[in-house]
Amino acid sequence: MDQARMNDLIATSIASGGLSQEHIAEIIQFRVFGNRRGFLLLENMPIGSIPRTPSRRDDLGKPDTRSEKLLLQATALLGDPIGYVQESEGSLINNFFPQRSQASKMSSDSFDTELDLHTENAFHAVQPDYLVLLCLRQDPDRQAVTFISSIDSIIERLPSSDIHYFFHEPYNFLSDYCQREKNCRIDINKRQTVLYGDIASPYFRFDPYFMVAGSHQAESKLAMLRDIAWEVAEPLTLRQGDLLIIDNRKTAHARSAFDARFDGTDRWIQRTFAVCNRRFLVERLGTHNQVFELVANL
Ligand SMILES: [Fe+2]
């Protein structure tokens, strides 16, 4: 989609996305003040009529666009919607459903691996501030569980010496982008700390499978942090019409495995990313383009 069409879609969504005044207020409150859990869940949203879940990208047709507009309206209240070339070819709205072409791989959810807690695109210099998920259809066996682990809960269980440690110890965050694919592990020399920002209420950067520790101590500290993150993780079962906003600078998230049937009833999620620093990105990158290739440094 070119920039002009993207802008038209965003403008239409802002004007008629279907969010009530109360929901708009809740989303703005969340952006301005945040909350301890690091997420906002709005249920029973008006998503329009949802066709059978496709099982191939080529079959993705959706005549009723109310869900897309709702999602983009919510996203625009949080920041600027962005895309990544490596995710759904830069589309502002990513559709997730089990794909037949990938079903034969090892794990039951190999179509979209989200099994361990992570912050999204932790290696990327253009990190999304928020993820917005809209559930168009729950999986029929209700197995899929989304987990969210907030750094505000995690640091309550960390001694202050460890909080200082994670503010200062750099880990090498590997990129999972290779050409146009995901889930490889590439060293882009992205050394950064797990905690950053205000030590009284830190931001969080975490993706253990894609992090290389610089010492045995750093490795065991990371394993301890991962255990705590799982201890405090909140399980959420998304149902049809649920809109979930995740603060990607204050939380890590994961999703359990679930089964696919490929009969039109499978789980279907739409997702967007929002950034809050678009003008800074334009300044540093010299372009208004809101679809990003890999950016290692700004
Ligand atoms: Fe994720």
Side-chain angles (χ1 to χ4, degrees):
M1 191 183 286
D2 64 28
Q3 190 71 48
R5 283 186 59 208
M6 270 186 211
N7 286 345
D8 281 351
L9 179 60
I10 294 167
T12 311
S13 304
I14 291 169
S16 59
L19 288 170
S20 67
Q21 201 52 49
E22 290 74 26
H23 286 143
I24 290 172
E26 277 191 81
I27 293 170
I28 296 175
Q29 295 259 3
F30 181 65
R31 176 175 65 78
V32 173
F33 301 110
N35 67 26
R36 236 186 68 84
R37 304 164 88 190
F39 68 87
L40 178 67
L41 178 64
L42 303 176
E43 296 171 301
N44 286 316
M45 306 305 285
I47 58 173
S49 68
I50 307 300
R52 293 162 64 79
T53 306
S55 56
R56 299 184 321 150
R57 292 247 162 247
D58 293 346
D59 298 339
L60 182 58
K62 193 167 166 298
D64 185 335
T65 57
R66 272 176 283 182
S67 72
E68 287 84 355
K69 288 184 186 139
L70 183 99
L71 189 53
L72 279 176
Q73 186 185 31
T75 309
L77 289 166
L78 296 159
D80 287 288
I82 62 158
Y84 295 96
V85 171
Q86 287 85 352
E87 315 243 6
S88 309
E89 293 173 345
S91 175
L92 295 186
I93 294 174
N94 304 157
N95 284 275
F96 294 114
F97 44 81
Q99 289 182 65
R100 213 183 255 293
S101 58
Q102 300 186 29
S104 58
K105 291 184 190 161
M106 234 170 49
S107 92
S108 59
D109 81 333
S110 58
F111 39 82
D112 176 24
T113 310
E114 290 265 340
L115 296 177
D116 204 355
L117 286 166
H118 62 282
T119 54
E120 201 72 13
N121 283 359
F123 62 90
H124 207 298
V126 180
Q127 223 196 320
D129 288 282
Y130 298 97
L131 315 183
V132 192
L133 307 182
L134 182 57
C135 181
L136 304 191
R137 180 168 290 124
Q138 187 176 8
D139 57 306
D141 300 323
R142 302 181 180 183
Q143 296 168 322
V145 180
T146 301
F147 297 93
I148 302 180
S149 182
S150 157
I151 191 58
D152 290 346
S153 303
I154 292 170
I155 59 172
E156 285 178 358
R157 300 189 182 206
L158 274 183
S160 64
S161 59
D162 283 339
I163 296 175
H164 281 272
Y165 184 86
F166 287 117
F167 252 92
H168 293 101
E169 176 67 22
Y171 289 82
N172 189 3
F173 283 70
L174 305 178
S175 163
D176 65 351
Y177 286 176
C178 26
Q179 297 294 326
R180 306 187 93 77
E181 299 274 312
K182 287 205 76 177
N183 289 327
C184 44
R185 296 167 90 241
I186 298 178
D187 188 346
I188 57 169
N189 195 27
K190 187 73 184 179
R191 287 180 165 76
Q192 42 189 9
T193 55
V194 170
L195 300 182
Y196 63 106
D198 183 344
I199 199 160
S201 176
Y203 294 139
F204 188 34
R205 198 158 32 210
F206 188 69
D207 196 354
Y209 181 70
F210 293 95
M211 291 164 69
V212 179
S215 66
H216 287 306
Q217 184 192 30
E219 203 173 314
S220 60
K221 294 266 187 203
L222 182 62
M224 171 203 67
L225 187 63
R226 182 174 171 273
D227 289 345
I228 295 173
W230 273 111
E231 279 166 28
V232 304
E234 285 197 62
L236 297 172
T237 304
L238 297 184
R239 297 183 183 86
Q240 188 166 57
D242 282 358
L243 181 76
L244 174 64
I245 300 172
I246 298 174
D247 185 336
N248 194 47
R249 294 201 187 260
K250 295 292 286 181
T251 63
H253 64 274
R255 197 214 55 238
S256 71
F258 63 94
D259 291 329
R261 297 185 180 182
F262 306 112
D263 62 356
T265 67
D266 281 333
R267 189 173 196 257
W268 188 355
I269 300 284
Q270 290 187 322
R271 180 190 69 187
T272 56
F273 300 114
V275 292
C276 298
N277 58 349
R278 176 120 181 256
R279 289 180 167 186
F280 176 71
L281 297 174
V282 174
E283 179 189 337
R284 304 300 292 194
L285 299 171
T287 170
H288 272 100
N289 196 343
Q290 65 203 96
V291 178
F292 298 91
E293 297 268 3
L294 173 60
V295 180
N297 294 293
L298 281 170

